[in-house]
């Protein structure tokens, strides 16, 4: 049984930083596509970043230059480094994973950012809350 457990959320001031973690159980992060999504109150779930098994990472346009997705294969853990936090980043953040090595359901460009279809991510964590105050 696959379990994804997020941690690292919290309340921070605008301009601050956080690092979110996602520990995987029953699943190998290094050999699959994984990603981070977020959902603000009253809004649809939005993909913000993803990483393929070969280490290729992509980002949504709203987080370009501020978010960095990475993983530690030895710890079987996925990370999301969030810098220059803005009030608009306030949301529940979810770790998600696919059964594939290369991410499916991803469209866009490096310059304009990417869109991630949540339907292609079959495993989900419970989420960790990030709240940014100005």
């Amino acid at each position: 049984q696959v379990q994804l457990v997020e941690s690292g959320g919290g309340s921070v001031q605008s301009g601050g930083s956080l690092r979110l973690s996602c520990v995987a159980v029953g699943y190998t992060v290094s050999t699959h596509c994984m990603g981070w999504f977020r959902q603000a109150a009253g809004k649809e779930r939005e993909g913000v970043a993803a990483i393929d098994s070969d280490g290729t990472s992509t980002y949504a346009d709203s987080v370009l230059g501020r978010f960095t997705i990475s993983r530690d294969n030895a710890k079987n853990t996925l990370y999301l480094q969030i810098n220059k936090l803005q009030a608009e980043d306030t949301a529940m953040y979810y770790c998600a994973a696919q059964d594939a090595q290369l991410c499916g359901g991803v469209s866009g460009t490096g310059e304009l950012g990417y869109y991630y279809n949540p339907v292609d991510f079959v495993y989900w964590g419970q989420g960790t809350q990030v709240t940014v105050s100005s």
Side-chain angles (χ1 to χ4, degrees):
Q1 182 178 0
V2 175
Q3 287 186 310
L4 303 175
V5 182
E6 303 98 332
S7 63
S11 296
V12 296
Q13 289 191 328
S14 179
S17 299
L18 282 173
R19 188 176 79 158
L20 308 184
S21 300
C22 171
V23 176
V25 178
Y27 181 90
T28 305
V29 300
S30 63
T31 59
H32 295 88
C33 164
M34 295 192 73
W36 287 95
F37 286 73
R38 65 185 181 185
Q39 188 166 20
K43 295 188 177 181
E44 292 188 354
R45 191 166 295 192
E46 170 195 27
V48 296
I51 185 167
D52 287 324
S53 60
D54 63 2
T56 301
S57 58
T58 57
Y59 299 91
D61 62 348
S62 58
V63 306
L64 277 171
R66 299 189 300 120
F67 288 22
T68 303
I69 188 171
S70 64
R71 62 180 184 230
D72 184 326
N73 296 340
K75 295 182 178 179
N76 210 35
T77 300
L78 182 75
Y79 299 101
L80 185 69
Q81 178 68 40
I82 308 175
N83 297 328
K84 300 179 181 178
L85 277 158
Q86 305 166 357
E88 307 86 81
D89 296 319
T90 295
M92 184 72 79
Y93 283 72
Y94 298 91
C95 172
Q98 298 189 6
D99 279 332
Q101 291 182 325
L102 299 180
C103 294
V106 179
S107 59
T109 68
E111 292 77 21
L112 299 179
Y114 289 84
Y115 166 80
Y116 308 91
N117 191 338
V119 171
D120 288 86
F121 291 80
V122 296
Y123 306 110
W124 293 84
Q126 293 300 307
T128 185
Q129 178 69 37
V130 173
T131 303
V132 184
S133 58
S134 57

